[in-house]
Amino acid sequence: AKRDGGGVARRFDPVLFAKAEQRRLAEHDLMRGLEAGEFEVHYQPIVDLDNGGITVGVEALVRWRHPEKGLVPPALFLDLAEQLGQVPRLGGWVLEEACRQALAWQVQFPGFEMNVNLSASQLTNPKLIQEVREVLERTGLPPRDLVLELTESVALTDLVESARVLSQLKELGVRIALDDFGTGFSSLSHLSTLPVDVVKIDRSFVQAMPETGGASVAEAVLHIARTFNLSPVAEGVEDAGQAERLKDLGAGRAQGYHFARPMPAIGVTELLDKQSAE
Ligand code: C2E
Ligand code: CA
Ligand code: CA
Ligand code: CA
């Protein structure tokens, strides 16, 4: 054990040391990946249940194309990126890339929608409004076709500030979606305070729907959406039964592995080609 000036014994702890070292390497690797531009945007189709399940838009989902690890999902790097203060920059890049791509698809499908996730650090970034405005100008995407998704927990941390930022975004003409809707129910009364257009029903509710009949949380959430005049999108639809029940409940739009997994842009282009040939 080493003894420092204060007389406190500090023993070398190999486990702690290994953890700190691992963390240091992970940070370094992530910064290197950002610098090298190893990130990609994949897109998951959003379908219209009432219109034969045609694809009407997509959600942009970031991935890391790691030189050794392959395709890394956001759950494995977003927290660290957030701690390193890199999410506003990465998110800004995703936004621009997604809007550019949306415009390309709009040539074939006017009104094709692009959903982009916003994190807490992006919402509190004073440059956000300016950045969204500039991206819309640069890419030429009609603002109404951009939907910015944020989770209830992000929106409700500072309700007054969120309402202010969201109103400014809405003045640009973009739409706002509450993501993972229903998972933060304590703040239901605040729904009317926030200028929200769309609610994305969390997949836990979709997957908990009973096989036959019976009431479900998904149904209750759809009822709330209707009450507040919000367009619902059901997330995490994994089988035909769920899709059918959601359609009967009037969910309108849905997203999930049953329809399509997130895919690179080229996959969506092919899907749209096939769709327009039908
Ligand atoms: P999210 O916004 O709730 O996105 C939906 C997630 O559910 C995606 O995971 C998607 O691949 C997955 N998913 C879609 N359909 C199904 C299904 O049928 N079953 C199941 N089990 N899962 C399904 P992914 O791409 O790994 O993203 C995870 C989370 O990372 C996202 O959750 C979002 O919160 C965050 N994220 C992803 N991309 C971005 C981004 O560009 N910026 C920000 N700030 N966050 C992002
Ligand atoms: Ca989302
Ligand atoms: Ca979600
Ligand atoms: Ca989520």
Side-chain angles (χ1 to χ4, degrees), residues 59 61 117 149 179-180 200 235:
E59 175 175 1
L61 296 159
N117 293 286
E149 299 190 2
D179 205 351
D180 304 345
K200 301 197 75 174
E235 288 193 297

mmCIF file of all heavy atoms in Angstrom, residues 59 61 117 149 179-180 200 235, ligand 2:
data_model
loop_
_atom_site.group_PDB
_atom_site.id
_atom_site.type_symbol
_atom_site.label_atom_id
_atom_site.label_comp_id
_atom_site.label_asym_id
_atom_site.label_seq_id
_atom_site.Cartn_x
_atom_site.Cartn_y
_atom_site.Cartn_z
ATOM 1 N N GLU A 59 -38.036 5.624 -39.670
ATOM 2 C CA GLU A 59 -37.346 6.207 -38.523
ATOM 3 C C GLU A 59 -35.852 6.009 -38.723
ATOM 4 O O GLU A 59 -35.399 4.900 -39.032
ATOM 5 C CB GLU A 59 -37.777 5.538 -37.212
ATOM 6 C CG GLU A 59 -36.962 6.054 -36.010
ATOM 7 C CD GLU A 59 -37.423 5.516 -34.661
ATOM 8 O OE1 GLU A 59 -38.377 4.712 -34.613
ATOM 9 O OE2 GLU A 59 -36.803 5.915 -33.653
ATOM 10 N N LEU A 61 -32.188 5.480 -37.474
ATOM 11 C CA LEU A 61 -31.565 4.868 -36.293
ATOM 12 C C LEU A 61 -30.062 4.759 -36.534
ATOM 13 O O LEU A 61 -29.619 4.172 -37.525
ATOM 14 C CB LEU A 61 -32.185 3.492 -36.037
ATOM 15 C CG LEU A 61 -33.692 3.520 -35.676
ATOM 16 C CD1 LEU A 61 -34.336 2.163 -35.937
ATOM 17 C CD2 LEU A 61 -33.886 3.954 -34.225
ATOM 18 N N ASN A 117 -34.658 10.798 -33.987
ATOM 19 C CA ASN A 117 -34.644 10.850 -32.520
ATOM 20 C C ASN A 117 -33.807 12.018 -32.015
ATOM 21 O O ASN A 117 -32.732 12.306 -32.542
ATOM 22 C CB ASN A 117 -34.047 9.548 -31.954
ATOM 23 C CG ASN A 117 -34.945 8.356 -32.221
ATOM 24 O OD1 ASN A 117 -35.983 8.188 -31.591
ATOM 25 N ND2 ASN A 117 -34.550 7.528 -33.190
ATOM 26 N N GLU A 149 -38.522 12.948 -32.752
ATOM 27 C CA GLU A 149 -39.015 12.084 -31.673
ATOM 28 C C GLU A 149 -38.252 12.352 -30.385
ATOM 29 O O GLU A 149 -37.022 12.391 -30.385
ATOM 30 C CB GLU A 149 -38.802 10.606 -32.037
ATOM 31 C CG GLU A 149 -39.530 10.172 -33.291
ATOM 32 C CD GLU A 149 -39.497 8.653 -33.479
ATOM 33 O OE1 GLU A 149 -38.949 7.937 -32.612
ATOM 34 O OE2 GLU A 149 -40.021 8.201 -34.509
ATOM 35 N N ASP A 179 -41.948 9.661 -27.940
ATOM 36 C CA ASP A 179 -41.450 8.295 -28.130
ATOM 37 C C ASP A 179 -41.713 7.453 -26.879
ATOM 38 O O ASP A 179 -41.837 8.010 -25.787
ATOM 39 C CB ASP A 179 -39.927 8.381 -28.379
ATOM 40 C CG ASP A 179 -39.400 7.204 -29.171
ATOM 41 O OD1 ASP A 179 -40.142 6.232 -29.391
ATOM 42 O OD2 ASP A 179 -38.223 7.266 -29.567
ATOM 43 N N ASP A 180 -41.778 6.135 -27.057
ATOM 44 C CA ASP A 180 -41.975 5.211 -25.930
ATOM 45 C C ASP A 180 -43.174 5.640 -25.098
ATOM 46 O O ASP A 180 -43.169 5.560 -23.868
ATOM 47 C CB ASP A 180 -40.724 5.155 -25.036
ATOM 48 C CG ASP A 180 -39.477 4.767 -25.808
ATOM 49 O OD1 ASP A 180 -39.614 4.276 -26.940
ATOM 50 O OD2 ASP A 180 -38.372 4.959 -25.278
ATOM 51 N N LYS A 200 -45.807 7.629 -30.143
ATOM 52 C CA LYS A 200 -45.341 6.305 -30.526
ATOM 53 C C LYS A 200 -45.566 5.376 -29.347
ATOM 54 O O LYS A 200 -44.957 5.531 -28.291
ATOM 55 C CB LYS A 200 -43.867 6.366 -30.937
ATOM 56 C CG LYS A 200 -43.679 7.340 -32.117
ATOM 57 C CD LYS A 200 -42.379 7.151 -32.816
ATOM 58 C CE LYS A 200 -42.351 5.915 -33.682
ATOM 59 N NZ LYS A 200 -41.091 5.825 -34.467
ATOM 60 N N GLU A 235 -45.355 0.784 -32.008
ATOM 61 C CA GLU A 235 -43.974 0.314 -32.178
ATOM 62 C C GLU A 235 -43.839 -1.158 -31.826
ATOM 63 O O GLU A 235 -44.620 -1.687 -31.031
ATOM 64 C CB GLU A 235 -43.044 1.066 -31.226
ATOM 65 C CG GLU A 235 -42.772 2.489 -31.572
ATOM 66 C CD GLU A 235 -41.611 3.016 -30.741
ATOM 67 O OE1 GLU A 235 -41.743 3.066 -29.497
ATOM 68 O OE2 GLU A 235 -40.584 3.359 -31.325
HETATM 69 CA CA CA B 2 -37.643 6.610 -31.598
#
